[in-house]
Amino acid sequence: MHACGHDIHMSAFVGTARRLVEMRGQWRGTLVMIGQPAEERGGGAKEMLADGLYERFPKPDYNLALHDAASAPAGTVGYTPGYALANVDSVDIIVHGIGGHGAYPHTTKDPVVLAAQIIVDLQTLVSREVSPLDPAVVTVGSIHGGTKHNIISDQVLLQLTVRSYTDEVRKTLLDGIKRIAENQGRVAGLPEDLLPEVTVRTDEFTPATYNDPELVGRVTSAMREAGVATTIVEVPPVMGGEDFSEYGRTEDKIPGFIFWIGAVDPVLYQETMAAGGTLPSLHSPFFAPAPELTIKTGVKAMTIAALELFAKPE
Ligand SMILES: [Zn+2]
Ligand SMILES: [Zn+2]
């Protein structure tokens, strides 16, 4: 599968490097290209910074990135000034139980039933505890427990992704998950030492991505002027996460901008929209970017963005 389209990203990366080298006479300055790993884990940028990215290599004045969009046709660019992508937290819940025979449930504490109750209760965090005007997501993406039809297990593991923009909403969600999980354990009659264990994976936290509005204005005007895409439009923020945010969160507060490049075959896009259908999202096994136009647009847009920020030759 193409997942997030990282094949598109790397091709556009190489293409941009080639273009900028070819155009070496038209700009002055230092270009640093970051081949960052592990975007999906959200850990690569943090690790590169911890490893001295800004000390061992020239420290940039601006940071730029692009990401493909599974909801826009190839040949287009989308941008969001201000907050563009969400806070992303990964949370593990170990639901303990007291195992036994499936035919004698009264002698057990069934963690499968308890996990099911926790999952249903978690739905009330977004629907009842967060303001309808504040974006928030709690998704249980993974549930594992049990081994056999007739065995009541002693453990279920849940893995959650939790998304927000503000620190306050983030805290409401994370505190609420712990409160619901632990107290549902009490409701089930578990002893205190067997209550569900909630772990927020701070090593996998990705902070919300902020696009510097002034930089966005400058770069998108240059893109429009150069005609890099058929459409260059402002798009709403999304609840996806992107550890590109980390590059702007050091004490240097370097302004950054990540923009979207449409990746869907334009004909498929038109047909799907006309039929009122839905396009497969990023990470869907059915997402297949239209390679040539997407990559070309990415290379053109990123090259123009970089040229705009570099000084001109004397
Ligand atoms: Zn992804
Ligand atoms: Zn991605």
Side-chain angles (χ1 to χ4, degrees):
M1 71 196 268
H2 292 274
C4 248
H6 297 308
D7 42 3
I8 294 282
H9 301 150
M10 293 323 298
S11 308
F13 177 97
V14 172
T16 303
R18 284 190 182 147
R19 289 295 300 273
L20 285 167
V21 169
E22 281 161 19
M23 300 169 84
R24 193 65 189 89
Q26 297 175 45
W27 56 275
R28 204 156 51 81
T30 305
L31 170 68
V32 180
M33 298 203 52
I34 303 176
Q36 177 207 306
E39 186 238 25
E40 297 297 343
R41 273 184 47 240
K46 212 191 307 182
E47 281 167 27
M48 290 188 79
L49 287 164
D51 195 42
L53 179 69
Y54 286 168
E55 290 89 51
R56 292 168 54 194
F57 302 95
K59 192 185 291 181
D61 300 306
Y62 302 99
N63 289 312
L64 294 172
L66 62 75
H67 199 296
D68 62 350
S71 56
T76 64
V77 170
Y79 62 93
T80 310
Y83 281 112
L85 292 113
N87 286 315
V88 179
D89 281 283
S90 296
V91 178
D92 294 337
I93 305 179
I94 305 174
V95 181
H96 298 288
I98 298 171
H101 198 297
Y104 310 100
H106 54 293
T107 65
T108 72
K109 294 287 180 200
D110 187 347
V112 170
V113 173
L114 175 52
Q117 267 163 345
I118 291 170
I119 293 168
V120 172
D121 255 18
L122 290 176
Q123 310 310 311
T124 61
L125 280 172
V126 173
S127 71
R128 304 290 83 176
E129 293 193 37
V130 172
S131 159
L133 301 178
D134 281 327
V137 175
V138 176
T139 291
V140 180
S142 165
I143 170 166
H144 285 98
T147 50
K148 191 76 184 80
H149 308 66
N150 60 352
I151 299 175
I152 289 174
S153 160
D154 61 1
Q155 188 169 289
V156 172
L157 297 175
L158 304 176
Q159 293 183 314
L160 286 64
T161 189
V162 181
R163 315 226 165 183
S164 55
Y165 284 116
T166 66
D167 290 346
E168 296 74 46
V169 172
R170 177 175 181 241
K171 187 172 180 337
T172 301
L173 296 177
L174 295 178
D175 290 353
I177 289 165
K178 194 171 158 63
R179 188 191 74 235
I180 286 170
E182 287 181 359
N183 283 302
Q184 277 295 357
R186 291 194 177 96
V187 171
L190 280 172
E192 289 291 308
D193 61 340
L194 282 183
L195 293 181
E197 283 176 63
V198 178
T199 310
V200 178
R201 302 276 291 264
T202 44
D203 55 321
E204 290 197 11
F205 167 59
T206 302
T209 305
Y210 185 78
N211 282 332
D212 182 81
E214 204 185 310
L215 179 62
V216 172
R218 187 173 163 192
V219 165
T220 51
S221 313
M223 286 180 185
R224 283 202 178 92
E225 215 165 290
V228 300
T230 49
T231 324
I232 303 173
V233 281
E234 182 170 337
V235 294
V238 294
M239 297 309 283
E242 181 47 69
D243 65 341
F244 172 71
S245 56
E246 299 279 2
Y247 299 118
R249 286 173 64 98
T250 64
E251 60 187 20
D252 310 289
K253 301 269 175 279
I254 299 169
F257 175 28
I258 182 167
F259 53 88
W260 298 102
I261 46 164
V264 183
D265 177 340
V267 175
L268 173 71
Y269 180 84
Q270 288 304 339
E271 284 173 0
T272 309
M273 293 301 116
T278 337
L279 291 159
S281 64
L282 294 172
H283 289 197
S284 158
F286 301 107
F287 167 56
E292 193 173 335
L293 186 53
T294 305
I295 294 166
K296 278 184 176 165
T297 308
V299 170
K300 279 194 250 173
M302 189 54 94
T303 304
I304 291 299
L307 284 176
E308 166 65 23
L309 300 176
F310 280 123
K312 304 292 165 266
E314 281 164 11

